[in-house]
C-alpha cells in the first residue's frame, strides 16, 4: 500500500490542480503527503514540508509534477533508495512522464493495489575536481565555453587511452539520456532496458567522429587536454562546475540507481516515436 506520497514540483508551472488531486486522494486513503520545504512554501497546501533526504527515504513513492527536468530531479533525489518515481506531465509533452494530471486518481489507486511495474534506470556518476560527487540520469557533458576554444578531450577506457576528440562537447549519456543531448549530437536511440553508457561528440572537428557504446563494467576517463579551452561540466543539463587543461573526470555507470513506475500506458518506442517525431524515408512512406 501507498502509506506516504512524496511530491516534487516544477519550479514555475502551475502544480496546484495536480497537488489538490493528490491531497484529496491521500485524504480518502489515510495517506500522508510530503514535499520539499522550498516547494511547499510556494503553494498553500497541507503537504508536510521536509528536507530532501527525508522526502526520499520516507516516501512510498515520489510523484514528479512537471516535465522531464522535474522527473530527472526526482530520480536524483530517489537515487540509492527503494523509493520509486511516478512522472506526471504538466503542460508540454513529457518524454519521461507516465501519465497526465487527469489520470492521477486512477494511477495512485493502481499503485496502491500493486498494479504496476518498475523500470530500473541506470545513472552515470563522477567526482568533480573539488571533491563533490554528482549523479546524472541523462548525461554528464564537457561543453565548450563560448570564446574559450573547443573541447579537446581524451577518452580512456579501463585506464587505456582510446580516442581524442576535438568538439563542441563530449557527452557521456545513459540509455535514458540517449534521446536528449546525445541524440541531438547524432547519437543512437538506446532502449532504457539496455545497460550501457554512450560517449558522443557534439560537432566534432576531428577525423574520428563516431559515438562509443561501453558496458557498465568499463570505467571511462575524460582528460581535458592541453589545447582545450575552459569547459563547463553539465550534469543533466545544469552546470555543476568548470574544468580546464590537466583536469580529469572518471565516470562510472550505476545500474539500477533509480526505479520508475510504469502503468502500461505507452512503450519506450511509442514515447520515442512521438516526442522525437520519428518517421521513415519519403521513399517508403
Amino acid at each position: 500500500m501507498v502509506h506516504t506520497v512524496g511530491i516534487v514540483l516544477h519550479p514555475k508551472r502551475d502544480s496546484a490542480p495536480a497537488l489538490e488531486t493528490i491531497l484529496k486522494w491521500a485524504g480518502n486513503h489515510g495517506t500522508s503527503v510530503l514535499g520539499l520545504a522550498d516547494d511547499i512554501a510556494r503553494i498553500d497546501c497541507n503537504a508536510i514540508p521536509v528536507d530532501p533526504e527525508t522526502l526520499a527515504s520516507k516516501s512510498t513513492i515520489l510523484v514528479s509534477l512537471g516535465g522531464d527536468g522535474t522527473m530527472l530531479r526526482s530520480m536524483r533525489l530517489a537515487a540509492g533508495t527503494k523509493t520509486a518515481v511516478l512522472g506526471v506531465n504538466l503542460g508540454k509533452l513529457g518524454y519521461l512522464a507516465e501519465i497526465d494530471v487527469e489520470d492521477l486518481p486512477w494511477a495512485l489507486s493502481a499503485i496502491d493495489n500493486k498494479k504496476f511495474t518498475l523500470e530500473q534506470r541506470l545513472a552515470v556518476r563522477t567526482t568533480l575536481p573539488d571533491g563533490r560527487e554528482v549523479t546524472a540520469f541523462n548525461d554528464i557533458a564537457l561543453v565548450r565555453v563560448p570564446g574559450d576554444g573547443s573541447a579537446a578531450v581524451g577518452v580512456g577506457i579501463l585506464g587505456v587511452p582510446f580516442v581524442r576528440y576535438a568538439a563542441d562537447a563530449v557527452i557521456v549519456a545513459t540509455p535514458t539520456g540517449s534521446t536528449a543531448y546525445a541524440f541531438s549530437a547524432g547519437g543512437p536511440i538506446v532502449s532504457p532496458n539496455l545497460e550501457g553508457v554512450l560517449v558522443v561528440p557534439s560537432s566534432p572537428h576531428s577525423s574520428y567522429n563516431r559515438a562509443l557504446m561501453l558496458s557498465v563494467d568499463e570505467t571511462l576517463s575524460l582528460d581535458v587536454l592541453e589545447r582545450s579551452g575552459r569547459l563547463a561540466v553539465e550534469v543533466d543539463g545544469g552546470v555543476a562546475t568548470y574544468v580546464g587543461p590537466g583536469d580529469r573526470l572518471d565516470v562510472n555507470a550505476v545500474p539500477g540507481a533509480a526505479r520508475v513506475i510504469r502503468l502500461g500506458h505507452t512503450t519506450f518506442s511509442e514515447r520515442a516515436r512521438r516526442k522525437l517525431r520519428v518517421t521513415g524515408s519519403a521513399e517508403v512512406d
Side-chain angles (χ1 to χ4, degrees):
M1 293 181 61
V2 178
H3 299 290
T4 306
V5 175
I7 54 171
V8 182
L9 307 183
H10 188 279
K12 295 182 179 180
R13 294 181 194 168
D14 183 10
S15 305
L19 188 50
E20 289 173 7
T21 300
I22 294 172
L23 289 167
K24 182 178 179 180
W25 183 91
N28 292 333
H29 290 78
T31 300
S32 300
V33 178
L34 308 179
L36 293 172
D38 290 343
D39 284 352
I40 298 304
R42 294 187 284 108
I43 298 179
D44 183 16
C45 68
N46 294 324
I48 303 168
V50 295
D51 59 59
E53 291 74 19
T54 302
L55 183 73
S57 63
K58 299 299 183 183
S59 299
T60 308
I61 61 171
L62 277 187
V63 179
S64 168
L65 301 176
D68 287 351
T70 311
M71 186 65 177
L72 291 169
R73 178 187 174 204
S74 302
M75 292 165 69
R76 290 195 299 270
L77 284 168
T81 73
K82 295 182 179 180
T83 303
V85 182
L86 173 68
V88 181
N89 181 43
L90 299 184
K92 297 179 181 178
L93 173 63
Y95 180 68
L96 298 176
E98 180 69 4
I99 61 169
D100 294 320
V101 174
E102 55 267 27
D103 297 321
L104 259 170
W106 164 81
L108 291 170
S109 294
I111 296 167
D112 197 43
N113 293 317
K114 299 183 179 181
K115 295 181 179 179
F116 66 96
T117 60
L118 291 175
E119 190 173 271
Q120 304 285 337
R121 290 299 177 104
L122 178 143
V124 285
R125 181 174 293 162
T126 191
T127 300
L128 301 177
D130 62 9
R132 286 180 294 143
E133 186 177 76
V134 292
T135 300
F137 282 91
N138 257 2
D139 47 51
I140 295 173
L142 298 185
V143 184
R144 71 180 293 267
V145 175
D148 280 4
S150 64
V153 178
V155 176
I157 303 171
L158 292 174
V160 179
F162 182 76
V163 67
R164 292 184 169 197
Y165 287 121
D168 282 355
V170 175
I171 306 153
V172 179
T174 68
T176 300
S178 70
T179 52
Y181 194 1
F183 177 79
S184 298
I189 296 174
V190 180
S191 168
N193 295 319
L194 181 67
E195 290 193 337
V197 175
L198 276 170
V199 183
V200 183
S202 175
S203 301
H205 314 152
S206 45
S207 58
Y208 183 83
N209 58 8
R210 302 295 183 176
L212 308 174
M213 185 75 187
L214 307 178
S215 80
V216 295
D217 299 321
E218 293 175 305
T219 300
L220 176 72
S221 61
L222 302 176
D223 287 295
V224 184
L225 303 176
E226 183 177 352
R227 58 158 293 185
S228 180
R230 187 174 66 123
L231 307 179
V233 181
E234 293 188 0
V235 179
D236 281 345
V239 177
T241 191
Y242 294 88
V243 292
D247 287 327
R248 165 182 281 197
L249 295 181
D250 292 318
V251 183
N252 294 285
V254 187
R259 304 190 298 173
V260 173
I261 293 172
R262 292 297 180 202
L263 296 161
H265 268 198
T266 59
T267 65
F268 158 74
S269 57
E270 288 171 333
R271 292 190 299 274
R273 181 178 175 85
R274 181 177 57 178
K275 181 170 182 178
L276 301 175
R277 297 181 181 178
V278 177
T279 60
S281 167
E283 297 180 2
V284 297
D285 284 349

